[in-house]
Amino acid sequence: MTALISASGDITAADAEVLVVGVFSGEDAPVLPESLAGVDAAFGGRLAEQLAVLGNTGSASSLTRLPAPDALAAKLVYAVGLGDADDLDDETLRRAAGTAVRAAFGKDSAAIVFEGDPEATAVGAALAAYRFEGYKTDGNGDAAPAEVRVYGASDAAIAKATVLADSVALVKDWADTPANLLRPPTFAVEIEQAALDAGLEVEILNAEALSAGGYGGVLAVGGGSSAEPRLVRLSYRPEGATQHVALVGKGITFDSGGINIKPGAGMWDMKGDMAGAAAVVGATIAAAKLGLNVDVTCTVALAENMLSGSSFRPSDVITIRNGMTVEVLNTDAEGRLVLADAISRALEDEPDALYDVATLTGGQLIALGRRTMGLMGTDTETERLRRIGETTGEHGWPMPFPEDIVKLMESPIADVSQCATGLKRDGHMVQGGIFLSKFVPEELPWAHLDIAGPADSDSTYGYIAKGATGFPVRTLVAALEEFAA
């Protein structure tokens, strides 16, 4: 595991194998900030010229490797572009630090010297140091540097970056774990252990308790699997907190689609259909480790949606925890059913706000792509998360609930239809949000976060590696910080 360390002093004497310096974009050559005067002098005043010859003009996240001259303590210099100095923001710093740290895999240590907010640099470096170890018998390639020093970062900034990165790493580990190794009972135990280590209270409901408690959605979805479903609740109660936020997550450890079985192409990705549950657990653990002054209750519904003789069916009517009935039209729209149960239970604690997170719909990908989550709910909370996402780099966009789509969610035989009448695809993403809105009081500040795309990346960029991303742990933590203020 990479140790993040606060650093200060003469950067030419930086005790690291790799010295990472940030340069700004220029017309013909990168522009060196004044803080790099000593490093430039070590290159005979020609660092910008050498970088330009090698094609680096300082564009954001560009990277050039150079052997360090004798006047520097480091063996190598990595010059990373920060783009236009006037446009420098925290996400540029996070991505630049991430690019550098990933390039330093296989090296013992690195030291980063950037302009701008050192905390953002520290977060990007810490996030990029993650690697899913996997199951290769001969190892998984070069390891991240054992130490990364961030110049100008305070001890508090380093501590916070470490907590955030650790929580994101936990989410990534769970979301990348194969489904045969993380079925609902196993996932519940792993959540319990991580939560107890963070000082949280834990409650786990097994199938018998779910039946006694009237959790019809979780039981229906999990009924086709030999691995029984679970509902896990975590509680963080700091002394003196005046606000209470409920976090709810979809934890489908594998989604075959059930009777409405998915196509084989891409089904392997369904091991990550529990990323929403993992994210809210990670955010709750981070809140506890950071000591945020806000009560947090985290409720996650864990089930495996499989095809068998005991699977639920299209046309079934099920009863949710709060007593509402749902007409099932598509067993592959299972996430909203377990969320309805979890939301209903979370509301019994009378929170001041509620956020639910789920890899809910393919419609999110169609509407917003792989890097922008869909936000639905009350204006206050969708706007809060949109604004926070701009600062964390975990972008979201508020979506409407059009009247015509709301009308399509009416059922002739139950309180609400699970999907649009006739299985119409109109507004597929917002159908999920409209369904969930039926279980949330109109006066409660609420947001539904559809992370179907952003929960996983098909490529590597900045501090994001290919695979699970840990999205949107940092946004949720930032929102909890606002409630704690």
Side-chain angles (χ1 to χ4, degrees):
M1 181 177 293
T2 299
L4 208 61
I5 301 171
S6 173
S8 61
D10 182 6
I11 62 175
T12 64
D15 183 19
E17 185 173 356
V18 178
L19 176 63
V20 180
V21 299
V23 298
F24 294 112
S25 60
E27 186 172 344
D28 299 315
V31 177
L32 307 183
E34 292 183 7
S35 59
L36 298 186
V39 175
D40 187 36
F43 279 91
R46 300 180 60 197
L47 177 57
E49 179 184 341
Q50 290 188 36
L51 292 174
V53 168
L54 294 172
N56 188 336
T57 58
S59 60
S61 290
S62 58
L63 184 141
T64 300
R65 299 171 174 86
L66 296 169
D70 293 339
L72 298 180
K75 296 178 181 178
L76 294 166
V77 173
Y78 289 179
V80 183
L82 300 177
D84 192 315
D86 293 334
D87 296 331
L88 183 64
D89 59 19
D90 287 353
E91 180 65 3
T92 299
L93 290 170
R94 284 189 290 263
R95 292 192 181 190
T99 297
V101 169
R102 288 192 298 101
F105 272 43
K107 309 300 181 185
D108 291 334
S109 57
I112 304 177
V113 184
F114 285 170
E115 299 295 301
D117 184 3
E119 182 176 316
T121 299
V123 170
L127 291 171
Y130 172 84
R131 183 185 62 181
F132 183 65
E133 292 302 326
Y135 306 94
K136 293 185 177 182
T137 55
D138 58 352
N140 201 26
D142 293 333
E147 291 183 353
V148 174
R149 300 178 181 274
V150 181
Y151 274 77
S154 66
D155 290 338
I158 292 294
K160 181 177 180 180
T162 300
V163 167
L164 291 174
D166 287 349
S167 294
V168 169
L170 181 65
V171 175
K172 290 179 177 180
D173 280 346
W174 281 331
D176 277 335
T177 297
N180 64 317
L181 302 180
L182 197 73
R183 304 182 82 184
T186 304
F187 193 15
V189 171
E190 293 205 10
I191 291 172
E192 179 182 34
Q193 187 57 62
L196 291 175
D197 289 346
L200 301 174
E201 296 179 8
V202 183
E203 177 188 18
I204 299 177
L205 303 185
N206 60 17
E208 183 179 356
L210 290 170
S211 180
Y215 293 90
V218 179
L219 290 168
V221 174
S225 172
S226 60
E228 292 183 345
R230 296 287 188 270
L231 188 113
V232 182
R233 287 171 45 79
L234 312 180
S235 298
Y236 169 59
R237 298 287 184 269
E239 185 176 352
T242 60
Q243 294 285 296
H244 177 198
V245 178
L247 301 179
V248 174
K250 169 190 171 183
I252 303 299
T253 60
F254 188 78
D255 183 16
S256 70
I259 286 178
N260 295 104
I261 196 163
K262 292 179 179 291
M267 193 189 288
W268 52 82
D269 281 340
M270 290 300 102
K271 69 178 182 179
D273 208 17
M274 34 57 66
V280 294
V281 169
T284 305
I285 289 173
K289 289 184 175 180
L290 292 171
L292 301 186
N293 190 33
V294 57
D295 287 343
V296 183
T297 304
C298 175
T299 306
V300 293
L302 313 180
E304 190 176 51
N305 188 21
M306 298 294 283
L307 180 62
S308 76
S310 57
S311 296
F312 73 126
R313 297 156 291 266
S315 80
D316 283 1
V317 172
I318 62 175
T319 303
I320 300 301
R321 162 81 176 183
N322 69 351
M324 288 182 63
T325 56
V326 177
E327 181 186 11
V328 175
L329 299 181
N330 182 356
T331 63
D332 193 25
E334 82 299 328
R336 65 198 67 183
L337 300 178
V338 303
L339 284 174
D341 267 339
I343 288 172
S344 298
R345 176 61 187 91
L347 290 174
E348 295 170 20
D349 299 315
E350 299 183 347
D352 297 300
L354 186 149
Y355 298 148
D356 73 83
V357 185
T359 50
L360 202 68
T361 66
Q364 182 277 319
L365 280 154
I366 294 170
L368 297 173
R370 297 201 66 93
R371 299 185 186 180
T372 303
M373 62 181 162
L375 300 173
M376 288 149 273
T378 58
D379 292 343
T380 55
E381 298 314 310
T382 55
E383 174 55 26
R384 184 198 302 270
L385 295 176
R386 186 209 62 77
R387 170 177 51 80
I388 291 174
E390 287 292 318
T391 65
T392 62
E394 295 178 329
H395 298 284
W397 195 252
M399 305 298 294
F401 286 166
E403 181 181 353
D404 59 317
I405 309 299
V406 172
K407 187 73 174 176
L408 289 175
M409 301 301 292
E410 296 178 357
S411 167
I413 64 170
D415 294 328
V416 63
S417 177
Q418 171 211 30
C419 303
T421 305
L423 291 181
K424 292 183 179 179
R425 302 288 289 177
D426 308 29
H428 185 214
M429 173 172 54
V430 300
Q431 286 183 29
I434 291 168
F435 174 84
L436 294 175
S437 73
K438 304 298 183 181
F439 299 88
V440 182
E442 289 185 7
E443 68 275 10
L444 182 71
W446 162 65
H448 162 58
L449 292 67
D450 192 336
I451 61 167
D456 186 84
S457 178
D458 57 4
S459 61
T460 297
Y461 62 96
Y463 52 84
I464 299 294
K466 184 178 180 180
T469 62
F471 194 107
V473 169
R474 293 180 295 116
T475 296
L476 292 174
V477 172
L480 293 173
E481 287 178 317
E482 291 194 355
F483 281 98

